[in-house]
């Protein structure tokens, strides 16, 4: 009995299809946390303070992200963390 017809073998097509979809999924959940300048960070932190998501603690000179309980001594660090934290929650379907 002859072997399988090579023209009917779709395993490589399926593998390529899977690779493309995995790459699209990674792109869809990717969030740019690298390019956060001081102005953007300060604006975001100000909005988060107004929304009671972040609490400034002046005596310790830190900003506390209330949902996670994490403290930051830099608005830029907090902004980068918040972008990643939000993206992670959105990817998990938890929302905010």
């Amino acid at each position: 009995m002859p072997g399988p017809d090579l023209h009917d073998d779709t395993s490589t097509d399926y593998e390529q299809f899977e690779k493309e979809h995995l790459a699209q999924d990674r792109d869809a959940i990717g969030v740019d946390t690298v390019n956060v300048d001081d102005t953007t960070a300060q604006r975001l932190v100000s909005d988060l303070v107004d929304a009671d998501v972040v609490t400034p603690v002046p005596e310790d000179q830190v900003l506390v992200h209330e949902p996670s309980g994490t403290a930051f001594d830099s608005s830029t660090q907090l902004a980068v963390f918040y972008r990643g934290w939000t993206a992670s929650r959105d990817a998990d379907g938890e929302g905010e």
Side-chain angles (χ1 to χ4, degrees), residues 12-53:
T12 57
D13 294 339
Y14 179 76
E15 289 172 8
Q16 185 61 33
F17 176 80
E18 284 293 310
K19 287 178 186 177
E20 288 174 10
H21 279 349
L22 286 172
Q24 289 173 3
D25 289 346
R26 281 192 300 269
D27 290 344
I29 62 172
V31 172
D32 183 17
T33 58
V34 177
N35 298 323
V36 177
D37 60 25
D38 289 335
T39 304
T40 302
Q42 289 176 5
R43 185 177 25 236
L44 176 61
V45 169
S46 177
D47 291 346
L48 293 174
V49 168
D50 291 344
D52 294 326
V53 174

Side-chain angles (χ1 to χ4, degrees), residues 87-95:
S88 173
R89 290 180 51 88
D90 290 346
D92 291 342
E94 294 178 26

